């Protein structure tokens, strides 16, 4: 089993930055992809970004490209999402997730999920 714990959420003004971190414990070697997803009130959970175990392959949803950066430290079992130029539409609960399969990193079919951390961007 794998446990994921997010931290770093909060309230920020539009244009500001936040850094989300996710600490993994347990059988972390089994996670090929680690990713971030988000869910706004009344909306479905959506893919934000993911990174492969080799850290060379990263994927982003179009609306965050150029603003968000995902990184991964396999030695420390952590994944980070640096969010810059935040917009009110980025407001959501952000979830860290881990996936064993090496395919379709943007799918919602991840094996492990954290509890989520709230990000609120004010105008």
């Amino acid at each position: 089993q794998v446990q994921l714990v997010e931290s770093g959420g909060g309230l920020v003004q539009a244009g500001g930055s936040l850094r989300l971190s996710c600490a993994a414990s347990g059988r972390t070697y089994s996670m090929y992809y680690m990713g971030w997803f988000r869910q706004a009130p009344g909306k479905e959970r959506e893919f934000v970004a993911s990174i492969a175990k080799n850290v060379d392959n990263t994927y982003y949803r179009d609306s965050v490209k150029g603003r968000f950066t995902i990184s991964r430290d396999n030695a420390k079992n952590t994944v980070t999402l640096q969010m810059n130029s935040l917009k009110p539409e980025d407001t959501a609960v952000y979830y860290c997730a881990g996936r064993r399969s090496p395919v379709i990193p943007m799918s919602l079919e991840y094996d492990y999920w954290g509890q989520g951390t709230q990000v609120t961007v004010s105008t």
Side-chain angles (χ1 to χ4, degrees):
Q1 276 289 48
V2 173
Q3 295 78 42
L4 302 173
V5 179
E6 304 97 335
S7 61
L11 173 64
V12 65
Q13 288 188 331
S17 299
L18 279 176
R19 186 179 179 89
L20 304 183
S21 295
C22 175
S25 60
R27 301 177 65 177
T28 58
Y29 59 85
S30 67
M31 292 192 296
Y32 190 90
Y33 279 109
M34 292 191 74
W36 289 93
F37 293 77
R38 66 187 182 187
Q39 188 167 16
K43 295 188 177 181
E44 295 185 350
R45 191 170 298 190
E46 63 183 19
F47 167 82
V48 176
S50 66
I51 185 167
K53 197 169 187 177
N54 63 12
V55 304
D56 288 336
N57 296 327
T58 57
Y59 304 86
Y60 298 92
R61 71 179 298 106
D62 287 344
S63 62
V64 307
K65 285 181 180 177
R67 299 189 298 122
F68 291 11
T69 303
I70 189 170
S71 59
R72 179 173 181 171
D73 187 330
N74 289 322
K76 297 181 178 179
N77 293 323
T78 58
V79 63
T80 299
L81 186 68
Q82 177 66 42
M83 305 185 295
N84 298 327
S85 302
L86 283 161
K87 304 176 181 180
E89 51 263 43
D90 294 318
T91 295
V93 176
Y94 282 70
Y95 297 90
C96 175
R99 179 181 174 92
R100 295 191 299 265
S101 171
V103 300
I104 317 178
M106 291 174 279
S107 164
L108 284 171
E109 295 179 355
Y110 274 57
D111 303 292
Y112 309 106
W113 293 87
Q115 294 300 307
T117 184
Q118 178 70 45
V119 171
T120 303
V121 184
S122 63
T123 55

